[in-house]
Amino acid sequence: KQEVTQIPAALSVPEGENLVLNCSFTDSAIYNLQWFRQDPGKGLTSLLLIQSSQREQTSGRLNASLDKSSGRSTLYIAASQPGDSATYLCAVDHENNRKLIWGLGTSLAVNP
Amino acid sequence: GAVVSQHPSRVICKSGTSVKIECRSLDFQATTMFWYRQFPKQSLMLMATSNEGSKATYEQGVEKDKFLINHASLTLSTLTVTSAHPEDSSFYICSAAIRRETQYFGPGTRLLVL
């Protein structure tokens, strides 16, 4: 059974810091992995999608890496800003049934 | 980009009543729509997958007679929580997909059953 774990559960940093969020999954048979952002009481915004054959994806200040064999992904946020404060969710699309399995998220607070 | 809307954004109802939540893809035709539920401090859980014109596929543990899903067109899916009870209070999120690789998520509906 695929399980997704995100560490840390919460993170508070001063503005301007570079930071890394971690996601691990137990079954390496994935189709892709996605990182999402969720603002309080709101829906999800897709940030980055990494196909199983890819190693990383970049969008602006965000960089996501994928090591499928070790079951790990990291989301790197450069020069963090208060507007980055949100919950970041990792989800894997399990190869066999192609449905998303979600982590609990990392709650990020970037302080001015 | 692809936009998905949900209505209502928030609903409060009495125990025993039924609540309908709409999910619309505004600028694209979605062959597949997904319904998720998120309880506080828990991860999103897929409830069901629906394809236009066919019956929804429910995940294990989700009662199909309680959570009625109708995917009537390529731009609209509805979730009806029948005879709602306080334990059904949750955040319900839908997503719509053109291809399975990309799901576009709605803003969510917060349901509170008194």
Side-chain angles (χ1 to χ4, degrees):
Chain A
K1 179 184 174 185
Q2 179 72 275
E3 294 183 358
V4 179
T5 303
Q6 290 188 245
I7 295 174
L11 185 61
S12 181
V13 300
E15 182 177 4
E17 272 202 11
N18 302 323
L19 51 98
V20 175
L21 308 181
N22 298 290
C23 173
S24 61
F25 45 96
T26 55
D27 189 339
S28 62
I30 65 170
Y31 188 76
N32 60 50
L33 182 145
Q34 297 184 63
W35 284 93
F36 294 85
R37 169 186 173 139
Q38 184 176 29
D39 292 282
K42 297 189 177 180
L44 304 172
T45 302
S46 178
L47 298 174
L48 290 164
L49 183 152
I50 311 176
Q51 301 289 355
S52 63
S53 59
Q54 296 176 324
R55 298 283 293 183
E56 66 176 344
Q57 283 285 338
T58 298
S59 176
R61 294 183 294 108
L62 305 179
N63 175 276
S65 68
L66 174 65
D67 185 342
K68 187 178 165 184
S69 61
S70 67
R72 294 180 181 177
S73 175
T74 61
L75 178 66
Y76 176 83
I77 303 177
S80 58
Q81 303 171 358
D84 295 330
S85 299
T87 296
Y88 290 81
L89 296 169
C90 166
V92 299
D93 195 337
H94 195 52
E95 193 166 44
N96 287 336
N97 55 23
R98 307 280 304 276
K99 69 179 184 181
L100 295 179
I101 308 297
W102 298 81
L104 283 173
T106 293
S107 177
L108 173 65
V110 180
N111 305 305
Chain B
V3 179
V4 176
S5 70
Q6 276 185 246
H7 178 79
S9 58
R10 185 184 299 266
V11 58
I12 301 173
C13 68
K14 293 182 179 180
S15 184
T17 61
S18 293
V19 175
K20 179 184 285 189
I21 302 171
E22 291 186 349
C23 177
R24 293 181 184 273
S25 57
L26 299 184
D27 51 2
F28 67 99
Q29 293 185 326
T31 53
T32 307
M33 286 188 171
F34 306 85
W35 287 96
Y36 295 85
R37 181 168 53 184
Q38 184 180 35
F39 291 109
K41 305 295 184 184
Q42 296 186 25
S43 62
L44 275 81
M45 295 295 293
L46 179 65
M47 299 176 66
T49 302
S50 72
N51 294 296
E52 188 265 339
S54 62
K55 290 184 178 180
T57 301
Y58 289 81
E59 295 300 305
Q60 191 174 8
V62 178
E63 300 176 55
K64 63 179 182 179
D65 294 330
K66 181 170 182 61
F67 298 98
L68 301 178
I69 292 173
N70 182 17
H71 194 158
S73 73
L74 287 172
T75 60
L76 174 64
S77 176
T78 60
L79 168 67
T80 301
V81 183
T82 62
S83 187
H85 288 93
E87 58 266 30
D88 298 323
S89 298
S90 186
F91 192 55
Y92 293 86
I93 303 177
C94 73
S95 70
I98 304 169
R99 294 181 303 275
R100 187 61 191 268
E101 288 83 355
T102 304
Q103 292 184 38
Y104 300 96
F105 285 82
T109 297
R110 187 162 298 282
L111 171 63
L112 177 61
V113 185
L114 302 176

